Amino acid sequence: MPDPVVAEQLSRALAGETTGIPEADDLAELLRRAAASTRFEVTAAETESALAVISHRKRRRPRPPGWLAAAAGGVAFGLLLVLVLPATRAPGLNIEGRALAAVRRAGPITVLETRTVESAGGEPVLRTQWVVPDGRTRVRTVVHGAVVQDIVREPGGRVIEYAGGGRRVVVAPSCHAIAGTCSELVDPIAFYRDRLAAGGVTGVQPIVFGGRRAYRFSLPAQVLRPGTTRITQVVTVDAATYLPRRIVWDQTVHGRTTAAAVIDVLRVISLLAPPPQVFHISRPAQARIVQVDASGARLIGRPSVSVLPLGRARSLFPDAFWVGRRYHGLRLTGVHELRWPTGRALRLDYGPLTIWSFDRVIPPPLLEGRLLPAKTLDFRNLVARFYVAADGKLVAERDVPGGSVAAVAPGLEKLQMVDVITAARRLG
Amino acid sequence: MAPGRDDESAFRREQADLDALFRTHHAEIVRFLAARLGSRQEAADLAGEVFVEAVRSVPRLRWRGRPVLAWLYRVAANMAADHMKRSGREFPVAIPPAAVADPPDTVGERDALARAMRALPADQALAVHLRLVEDYSFTEVGRLMGRSPAACQMLVLRAARALREHLRSEGIHA
């Protein structure tokens, strides 16, 4: 048999198929045994430790890391939430205390818009971030009027990212699966509050900025090893409102300070509730959807599916949702657990009606439809979004702590679907 | 499969965020070096050198249709080869004996396999590592190695036959 044929059969055998060609099957088994000894786990702690060791050997990067810009946005965000304070203050008084108190009084939903110019050059980056206390976040980055990146972190930590250049939408179990995404999603309030609470505001001085009285002060952001790199935020706040107008990220390496990024705060809005569509990303035309595993390098693959007795499902999925043993004459006929290495889902079948509860992985039958433009309905204090699944069935979905619950049914109207999704209650 | 715009976009992102590059690929570079050197500790040390070199060089890389990871593997393979030349010694087995005693036959075969893996030519070793240890598809292996998937399948076949011959030469029949 020609070698290319054997090689192809060997590749099939490595994929788990039985080829019927003894040499291919035997060699596949031999290769698996040979590779087994190096299939060890390198923990995240080992990786972080190694990263810390080499950090001080790095050259200064040509542009600040993504988290730097995000964190700088955080400073702007936090300070912009400062309530209007007395118009005149002498510098050197407890500015950081007032700022910190103001951050702690921040409203629940906030929208921050910034414009960033990096010292390494490039176009100004316009960034809009929506933050909700339950962990949901959306960050949209625009350059030259075009969306270059759009990220949503959903309940449970799963992330959906659209990268304008890539023409694809990536769904991942967490931000760690997509390079640079965690830093983009930094909670600006938490970052700023932590730095402010840690103290260290220095160099308060009155200045005139853009024709208006202002104060400028420094706030330490990060110190790597002593004598290596120091990162400082230089914040300019309006003297009348104490709202920040500009944040400059200064990077000091071996005694030499350069401005790594200049962030102008354009707008901050405080809301009681997020606009219904804010945390929904629609797949742009021609963009494909991929759902990856925790490594970010591979697709999630097929789940392992198990049939569960109801009692077992209750203990394994206490936070899952159901609509009882019967719902309008439909009897619970099946309980299935779907498990991936990075997430799991519970599927409850009531004849034609299906209830899904899922956390970090979106069940494949829902994935495509979920990223189409969706209608959102705010009804009975419940926000549900509606879309059509791959098989044409209508889906109603709502966010719950730690995940999502979705009802799938053919032939039901939206209000009937709202009834289903409203009737859904915890299984445990 | 020809590289697309999303591949280039991912390349640019990795160039721009070296911490993320490190976090994403550090583990697999350590595993690859462990297979080549036969020592996990030495692999971890050398992986650090690979990423120090990456900090210097990756921002200057030009897009040539292959991901940054391909460059990391190439540097890792070169550094491993240099390291082996410098040390010029017989390498230990890849993994120390397990806490639970293995049957003697299994231990002997495992050590022989580890030696045989280290004796493989670099390109065969890399193809085996990418497909068998990291579970990349042959399409992805080809993209990382700059070869066609069929060529990578041939590399793995040759590697497997070389392993089999090595075992036979030590009196072990797989």
Side-chain angles (χ1 to χ4, degrees):
Chain A
M1 186 176 293
D3 280 355
V5 176
V6 180
E8 191 179 343
Q9 295 305 314
L10 174 57
S11 77
R12 285 185 54 212
L14 290 174
E17 298 177 36
T18 303
T19 66
I21 298 173
E23 185 185 16
D25 294 337
D26 292 347
L27 290 179
E29 185 52 36
L30 176 63
L31 283 167
R32 286 192 195 99
R33 291 205 304 276
S37 67
T38 48
R39 289 179 71 105
F40 56 81
E41 186 73 16
V42 178
T43 65
E46 287 176 83
T47 295
E48 291 303 321
S49 170
L51 179 57
V53 168
I54 70 162
S55 284
H56 72 286
R57 300 171 66 180
K58 291 179 183 177
R59 281 188 174 183
R60 187 162 55 86
R61 286 178 282 195
R63 49 170 291 185
W67 67 265
L68 200 63
V75 174
F77 182 72
L79 286 178
L80 271 177
L81 293 168
V82 173
L83 298 180
V84 176
L85 295 174
T88 56
R89 287 181 56 94
L93 295 182
N94 190 12
I95 287 178
E96 60 191 292
R98 283 173 174 265
L100 186 57
V103 172
R104 286 175 175 157
R105 290 196 298 270
I109 315 297
T110 43
V111 189
L112 169 70
E113 291 181 13
T114 59
R115 176 181 180 274
T116 303
V117 177
E118 294 175 353
S119 61
E123 295 297 324
V125 176
L126 297 177
R127 193 168 179 278
T128 307
Q129 179 163 12
W130 291 262
V131 182
V132 182
D134 67 9
R136 285 179 297 166
T137 304
R138 181 173 186 175
V139 181
R140 188 164 56 198
T141 307
V142 174
V143 176
H144 259 322
V147 176
V148 295
Q149 191 176 41
D150 201 353
I151 311 169
V152 167
R153 179 168 58 204
E154 296 193 327
R158 67 171 174 262
V159 165
I160 299 173
E161 185 207 49
Y162 168 66
R167 291 196 179 175
R168 69 175 189 168
V169 178
V170 180
V171 180
S174 80
C175 64
H176 297 288
I178 310 174
T181 301
C182 290
S183 56
E184 290 294 332
L185 291 170
V186 166
D187 176 355
I189 281 192
F191 184 90
Y192 172 69
R193 187 176 55 228
D194 291 346
R195 294 298 181 276
L196 208 53
V201 168
T202 56
V204 180
Q205 55 179 308
I207 62 168
V208 175
F209 183 77
R212 289 171 60 89
R213 290 179 57 242
Y215 294 125
R216 179 176 292 161
F217 60 85
S218 298
L219 193 62
Q222 187 187 33
V223 178
L224 299 179
R225 271 187 191 179
T228 57
T229 302
R230 190 175 73 243
I231 298 169
T232 307
Q233 308 154 23
V234 180
V235 184
T236 301
V237 298
D238 190 276
T241 65
Y242 284 88
L243 303 180
R245 298 172 62 191
R246 171 170 285 184
I247 298 102
V248 178
W249 282 78
D250 276 347
Q251 186 171 343
T252 303
V253 182
H254 301 303
R256 183 165 170 261
T257 300
T258 54
V262 177
I263 298 157
D264 287 318
V265 179
L266 305 179
R267 199 157 67 120
V268 168
I269 304 166
S270 193
L271 304 171
L272 291 175
Q277 293 282 11
V278 155
F279 295 107
H280 177 78
I281 285 185
S282 295
R283 177 182 64 169
Q286 298 181 325
R288 63 196 173 89
I289 299 167
V290 291
Q291 186 162 209
V292 297
D293 67 5
S295 75
R298 290 181 283 271
L299 301 180
I300 56 157
R302 298 167 72 89
S304 62
V305 181
S306 314
V307 176
L308 296 180
L310 186 58
R312 179 80 175 138
R314 282 184 199 276
S315 61
L316 287 177
F317 291 86
D319 293 325
F321 280 66
W322 74 327
V323 288
R325 291 179 185 275
R326 280 183 177 275
Y327 181 76
H328 288 283
L330 298 173
R331 193 169 56 84
L332 177 64
T333 54
V335 181
H336 294 85
E337 176 191 29
L338 287 77
R339 188 176 285 275
W340 296 264
T342 51
R344 59 184 191 157
L346 185 70
R347 192 184 77 212
L348 304 176
D349 294 319
Y350 295 81
L353 170 68
T354 303
I355 305 290
W356 287 95
S357 297
F358 53 97
D359 53 18
R360 290 176 174 260
V361 175
I362 299 174
L366 307 181
L367 182 62
E368 287 278 335
R370 200 174 184 278
L371 291 168
L372 292 171
K375 288 195 188 310
T376 304
L377 192 62
D378 190 344
F379 189 69
R380 299 177 202 161
N381 294 322
L382 183 149
V383 177
R385 58 174 171 251
F386 296 89
Y387 54 91
V388 177
D391 57 6
K393 294 177 181 172
L394 183 63
V395 183
E397 181 186 313
R398 69 172 163 125
D399 294 333
V400 293
S404 304
V405 57
V408 186
L412 291 187
E413 299 295 329
K414 276 186 187 161
L415 286 180
Q416 294 172 305
M417 293 294 278
V418 169
D419 285 336
V420 176
I421 208 81
T422 306
R425 59 189 186 275
R426 286 191 189 284
L427 179 62
Chain B
M1 188 169 53
R5 288 183 58 184
D6 50 348
D7 296 320
E8 184 175 355
S9 174
F11 177 87
R12 301 281 176 225
R13 276 210 304 275
E14 290 199 315
Q15 267 191 314
D17 192 345
L18 295 177
D19 284 1
L21 178 78
F22 186 97
R23 290 189 174 102
T24 304
H25 300 308
H26 173 253
E28 63 182 291
I29 295 299
V30 170
R31 284 190 287 265
F32 172 66
L33 289 169
R36 298 303 286 158
L37 303 179
S39 160
R40 183 168 172 176
Q41 185 54 51
E42 287 184 11
D45 293 344
L46 202 56
E49 297 300 320
V50 171
F51 281 95
V52 168
E53 182 58 31
V55 170
R56 290 193 197 104
S57 304
V58 165
R60 297 197 304 268
L61 290 182
R62 298 173 72 176
W63 168 243
R64 297 180 191 280
R66 293 167 67 187
V68 176
L69 181 58
W71 182 91
L72 289 177
Y73 269 115
R74 195 172 73 242
V75 172
N78 290 341
M79 284 190 175
D82 291 345
H83 186 87
M84 290 155 73
K85 270 185 206 161
R86 279 200 307 274
S87 54
R89 58 178 167 73
E90 176 65 19
F91 296 103
V93 296
I95 298 294
V100 178
D102 291 324
D105 288 353
T106 308
V107 175
E109 187 200 85
R110 188 185 61 205
D111 290 355
L113 276 173
R115 284 193 296 274
M117 285 284 280
R118 289 197 297 278
L120 288 176
D123 56 352
Q124 292 180 16
L126 179 56
V128 169
H129 174 81
L130 292 171
R131 181 64 189 88
L132 271 295
V133 178
E134 303 300 336
D135 292 330
Y136 289 109
S137 68
F138 273 111
T139 303
E140 292 168 317
V141 175
R143 199 165 61 93
L144 287 168
M145 296 187 69
R147 299 173 186 236
S148 69
C152 295
Q153 289 173 353
M154 284 299 296
L155 283 175
V156 171
L157 174 63
R158 291 192 193 108
R161 285 173 171 167
L163 292 178
R164 187 175 59 189
E165 289 311 307
H166 190 102
L167 290 186
R168 283 178 182 164
S169 72
E170 296 200 8
I172 300 170
H173 291 275

